[in-house]
Amino acid sequence: MCVLVLAAEHDTYGYELANKISEKILIAEGTIYPLLRRMTQEGYFETYLTESAEGPPRKYYRLTAKGRAYMLEMVKEWRLFSRGVDSIIAEG
Amino acid sequence: MIEQEFLGRLEELLEKMPEGERKDILYDYEEHFQNGMASGKSESEIASSLGSPQAIAKEIMAGYHVAQATENVSVNNIARAVLATVSLGFINLVFVIGPLFGVIGVLFAFYVVAVVLVASPVLMLVAAGMPSEPTGILAWIFTSMVTVGAGSLLGIGMIFVTRWAGKMFLKYLQFNIRIIRGA
């Protein structure tokens, strides 16, 4: 879900995503690539290669319309879920 | 050096995948290393933040096997997908193997019923002996027609149900990988 939200702002590439997510959440960055692959296969992302000034050509990920719809759905569900958990913590 | 080791190890672990896909995956990690070094990180820093090649390979193989099995539903492919998913962790063992045996058990029970129905004319003869009077023989023929018909229909139906159950189970595997690894 984080991947989808981050990619929604602007097209992004794997390394940038991995960095942004691991800044905030403890995660093995290597697992982001299988995730991106799976979501690309499911049609949530399109990829294209772009030359970059420094380093190798980058594989960019662009969120598709299907991906955007899926993201909005996930965010909605997450809000509901986290509100539920918050209220349980507050009452408990 | 560390980068080469990492990529080499990952390549070995992914040897069962088609070459094109494997190259594609390895390229992602190569790119990651190069981007990391361009921003001033050392190879070992990058490798340790990526996590172990084993963990990454398991994740990739699980996704791959499930995708394979979804495309081409067969007992073999489903078994591979189950094994790969289970190898992701102990929790999966409970959530995958349990329902799997449940489903197989129910399917098996229905097949047994179908076989018994088809075999019942013979079973009736064995149990009660050949009926002597004509009405008994007629009764035997008619009940046989009913049970054999019902049994064969059930058997044929079960083949479709089994195929459908296999597909549903693959959906469940995908759902499992997604939940446990977090999408």
Side-chain angles (χ1 to χ4, degrees), chain A residues 5-92:
Chain A
V5 173
L6 284 174
E9 289 170 31
H10 56 88
D11 294 2
T12 183
Y13 56 100
Y15 182 75
E16 185 186 43
L17 268 179
N19 252 343
K20 276 191 182 164
I21 291 179
S22 65
E23 269 170 26
K24 308 243 164 74
I25 304 174
L26 195 62
I27 181 183
E29 291 176 16
T31 56
I32 286 175
Y33 292 98
L35 193 63
L36 282 171
R37 253 187 106 60
R38 201 162 61 229
M39 293 203 287
T40 306
Q41 279 164 357
E42 285 168 17
Y44 299 140
F45 284 115
E46 286 165 353
T47 62
Y48 56 95
L49 283 177
T50 309
E51 297 291 332
S52 70
E54 77 279 6
R58 285 170 181 161
K59 195 201 245 177
Y60 273 86
Y61 294 85
R62 184 195 300 126
L63 200 63
T64 61
K66 187 181 172 196
R68 192 167 295 272
Y70 182 62
M71 176 198 76
L72 293 176
E73 183 65 21
M74 293 277 282
V75 169
K76 207 168 84 192
E77 269 176 37
W78 171 258
R79 293 242 165 88
L80 258 174
F81 176 74
S82 78
R83 209 177 308 143
V85 172
D86 282 346
S87 75
I88 288 172
I89 293 173
E91 287 161 21

Side-chain angles (χ1 to χ4, degrees), chain A residues 1 15 29-30 33 37 57 59, chain B residues 21 27 29 32 49-50 183:
Chain A
M1 182 183 98
Y15 182 75
E29 291 176 16
Y33 292 98
R37 253 187 106 60
K59 195 201 245 177
Chain B
E21 243 175 288
Y27 175 77
Y29 290 97
H32 187 92
S49 73
L50 275 174

Side-chain angles (χ1 to χ4, degrees), chain B residues 114 117-118 145-161:
Chain B
L117 279 177
V118 171
M145 275 158 71
V146 171
T147 55
V148 171
S152 348
L153 280 180
L154 182 62
I156 292 165
M158 281 310 291
I159 292 172
F160 287 103
V161 171

Side-chain angles (χ1 to χ4, degrees), chain B residues 71-121:
Chain B
E71 247 168 54
N72 182 3
V73 182
S74 77
V75 172
N76 239 334
N77 280 340
I78 292 181
R80 254 185 238 132
V82 168
L83 275 182
T85 311
V86 164
S87 76
L88 282 175
F90 173 73
I91 301 177
N92 287 36
L93 188 71
V94 178
F95 281 100
V96 170
I97 298 291
L100 179 67
F101 282 151
V103 171
I104 291 178
V106 171
L107 291 177
F108 182 71
F110 274 104
Y111 276 113
V112 169
V113 171
V115 170
V116 169
L117 279 177
V118 171
S120 63

Side-chain angles (χ1 to χ4, degrees), chain B residues 1-16 22-23 25-27 29-30 33 43 47 50-54 56-57:
Chain B
M1 187 54 214
I2 294 167
E3 176 185 349
Q4 289 314 313
E5 237 170 77
F6 185 96
L7 294 176
R9 187 88 189 92
L10 192 58
E11 184 164 16
E12 262 170 50
L13 291 165
L14 297 178
E15 67 178 356
K16 289 204 189 103
R22 185 173 56 223
K23 284 244 170 76
I25 291 166
L26 286 171
Y27 175 77
Y29 290 97
E30 230 177 284
F33 268 102
E43 281 186 32
L50 275 174
S52 78
Q54 279 88 339
I56 295 170

